[in-house]
């Protein structure tokens, strides 16, 4: 792996923290960037960040990626070989009521990162996309070569926009870009707004959990270590132009140095089965409230991970029962649940 400094945006976030920590554990110099907003617990973000601060080769700046002047100043003061852009305003449902947060962070912020990559001529820009981009697509498993032209949430639309913007910069400036479509990531230090943490919190307190679409939901739950391994392995695998693309165009590649890949476990699990495993790990039965489908949500996600394996030789391997057990153990320790 390249030994020069790597920029990780969103380093106090769930995936960003784990990616930064793995890089630091490997001896890589990491510059972390995060705005530490209050979308969810600032204390949790600070606790993650405090772990990263223990590494001598870690440097941090509290910067919002949508702050153009601050990103331009960063470009003048630092030099990066690789950018791993994981900062974003997350959340499908939150985007329905707070659309301007998404245009600022996910669109303006992404342009700023693209400009940083352009001015510094980085070797590889990797950025977070999402399984949400598949929207109304009903072809399963979801393949990076599926059309993703019908998103059903603003969050998903901003992530699809990121992929289009990245392709433009790959075309104009020959910047190698890889969009990573993450599938329902869970594990220690997870986001409190996501189902695993929400369910664990409610179950441990004896509160009722909401089960949407009356339980007829499945997700391709992906353990955080598998996601991190996929990201790390992609760093030294920047895309090259597909020389046969013009005659056989595919959405996942280009005649420019551009690609998108899925990072998911590759096996959808029924939501109620997930809840049952969590109940077992927490030794508490859940009170369930069955509700209709929510706006912006999809019934099923399922990642086709063939391209990730072809590029990196890696297939996610942490089974759900093992992953939930590790997650639940961390949850009980961190939140002092007896």
């Amino acid at each position: 792996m390249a030994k020069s400094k790597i920029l990780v945006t969103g380093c106090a976030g769930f995936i960003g923290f784990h990616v930064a920590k793995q890089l630091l554990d490997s001896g890589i110099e990491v510059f972390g960037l995060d705005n530490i907003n209050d979308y969810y617990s600032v204390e949790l973000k600070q606790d993650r960040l405090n772990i990263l601060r223990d590494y001598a080769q870690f440097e941090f700046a509290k910067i919002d990626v949508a702050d153009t002047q601050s990103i331009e100043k960063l470009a003048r003061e630092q030099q990066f070989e690789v950018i791993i852009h994981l900062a974003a305003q997350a959340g499908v449902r939150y985007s329905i009521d707070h659309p301007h947060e998404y245009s600022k962070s996910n669109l303006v912020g992404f342009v700023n990162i693209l400009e940083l990559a352009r001015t510094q001529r980085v070797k590889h820009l990797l950025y977070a996309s999402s399984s949400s981009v598949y929207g109304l697509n009903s072809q399963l498993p979801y393949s990076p070569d599926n059309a993703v032209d019908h998103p059903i949430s603003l969050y998903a639309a901003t992530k699809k926009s990121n992929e289009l913007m990245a392709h433009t910069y790959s075309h104009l400036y020959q910047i190698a870009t890889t969009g990573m479509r993450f599938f329902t990531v869970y594990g220690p230090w997870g986001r409190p707004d996501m189902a695993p943490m929400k369910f664990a919190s409610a179950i441990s307190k004896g509160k009722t959990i909401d089960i949407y679409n009356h339980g007829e939901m499945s997700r391709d739950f992906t353990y955080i270590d598998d996601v991190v391994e996929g990201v790390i392995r992609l760093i030294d695998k920047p895309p090259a132009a597909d020389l046969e693309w013009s005659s056989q165009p595919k959405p996942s590649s280009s005649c420019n140095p551009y690609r998108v890949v899925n990072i998911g476990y590759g096996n959808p699990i029924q939501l109620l089965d997930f809840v049952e495993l969590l109940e077992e790990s927490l030794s508490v039965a859940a009170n369930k409230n069955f509700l209709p489908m929510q706006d912006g949500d999809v019934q099923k996600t399922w990642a086709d991970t063939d391209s990730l394996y072809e590029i990196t030789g890696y297939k996610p391997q942490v089974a759900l029962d093992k992953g939930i057990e590790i997650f639940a153990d961390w949850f009980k320790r961190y939140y002092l649940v007896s």
Side-chain angles (χ1 to χ4, degrees):
M1 186 185 297
K3 294 296 182 183
S4 298
K5 188 182 299 183
I6 292 179
L7 172 64
V8 178
T9 72
C11 68
F14 176 32
I15 299 176
F17 159 70
H18 282 280
V19 169
K21 185 175 185 301
Q22 182 61 41
L23 290 169
L24 292 165
D25 285 338
S26 300
I28 306 298
E29 188 176 358
V30 173
F31 191 100
L33 181 156
D34 204 294
N35 67 353
I36 321 287
N37 68 21
D38 61 358
Y39 169 62
Y40 64 81
S41 169
V42 171
E43 182 180 2
L44 177 61
K45 295 178 181 181
Q46 291 288 3
D47 286 345
R48 295 178 185 138
L49 189 56
N50 288 338
I51 293 173
L52 300 180
R53 290 184 192 275
D54 286 339
Y55 291 84
Q57 73 273 29
F58 177 71
E59 188 174 354
F60 174 73
K62 185 179 180 181
I63 295 176
D64 190 325
V65 292
D67 182 344
T68 303
Q69 289 186 338
S70 292
I71 296 298
E72 289 175 345
K73 183 173 183 288
L74 180 69
R76 294 191 297 270
E77 296 176 349
Q78 300 285 339
Q79 181 63 48
F80 307 111
E81 181 176 355
V82 171
I83 297 174
I84 304 176
H85 177 52
L86 302 173
Q89 179 56 58
V92 168
R93 293 163 190 161
Y94 191 74
S95 70
I96 294 174
D97 297 323
H98 302 83
H100 297 295
E101 295 300 317
Y102 292 76
S103 62
K104 181 178 71 172
S105 182
N106 299 6
L107 299 180
V108 175
F110 193 63
V111 170
N112 288 340
I113 294 300
L114 287 170
E115 278 294 289
L116 176 60
R118 178 185 67 82
T119 57
Q120 299 212 338
R121 305 302 303 174
V122 300
K123 292 183 178 179
H124 197 180
L125 166 62
L126 304 95
Y127 62 94
S129 186
S130 169
S131 62
S132 297
V133 301
Y134 289 102
L136 291 179
N137 174 64
S138 59
Q139 184 177 345
L140 294 169
Y142 290 154
S143 166
D145 286 325
N146 292 157
V148 288
D149 299 323
H150 300 91
I152 58 174
S153 70
L154 182 63
Y155 169 69
T158 63
K159 288 300 184 179
K160 172 59 178 173
S161 297
N162 289 171
E163 296 177 2
L164 296 173
M165 295 155 75
H167 184 267
T168 302
Y169 272 66
S170 292
H171 172 73
L172 291 174
Y173 308 113
Q174 294 300 294
I175 299 169
T177 66
T178 296
M180 303 173 291
R181 294 174 178 170
F182 298 131
F183 281 70
T184 315
V185 187
Y186 73 99
W189 299 98
R191 277 176 27 210
D193 63 311
M194 293 185 68
M197 284 275 281
K198 288 173 68 175
F199 287 171
S201 179
I203 292 171
S204 64
K205 296 174 183 177
K207 295 182 178 180
T208 300
I209 62 173
D210 291 333
I211 305 290
Y212 292 101
N213 202 35
H214 305 286
E216 293 300 317
M217 303 272 283
S218 64
R219 290 289 181 268
D220 198 339
F221 292 99
T222 311
Y223 188 66
I224 183 61
D225 287 3
D226 281 329
V227 171
V228 171
E229 187 66 24
V231 174
I232 298 296
R233 290 195 183 209
L234 283 167
I235 291 174
D236 288 333
K237 302 287 185 180
D242 183 347
L243 300 180
E244 298 179 356
W245 187 86
S246 295
S247 59
Q248 296 179 320
K250 297 187 298 183
S252 64
S253 62
S254 173
C255 54
N256 300 288
Y258 164 92
R259 76 158 73 96
V260 292
V261 298
N262 290 335
I263 301 186
Y265 187 65
N267 180 30
I269 300 294
Q270 288 293 320
L271 183 59
L272 290 176
D273 291 339
F274 175 88
V275 172
E276 183 178 346
L277 288 171
L278 194 54
E279 289 173 310
E280 292 174 1
S281 294
L282 294 172
S283 301
V284 182
N287 301 309
K288 305 176 185 71
N289 180 35
F290 292 93
L291 297 169
M293 181 77 86
Q294 280 202 321
D295 289 340
D297 219 342
V298 296
Q299 183 174 350
K300 188 172 187 176
T301 65
W302 180 3
D304 179 336
T305 61
D306 288 349
S307 61
L308 178 67
Y309 181 74
E310 290 169 4
I311 296 164
T312 67
Y314 184 74
K315 287 186 177 181
Q317 21 189 290
V318 181
L320 186 65
D321 56 350
K322 181 62 175 177
I324 288 182
E325 181 183 346
I326 299 170
F327 162 69
D329 287 345
W330 168 83
F331 179 87
K332 287 184 284 189
R333 289 196 308 273
Y334 183 79
Y335 291 102
L336 303 178
V337 175
S338 58

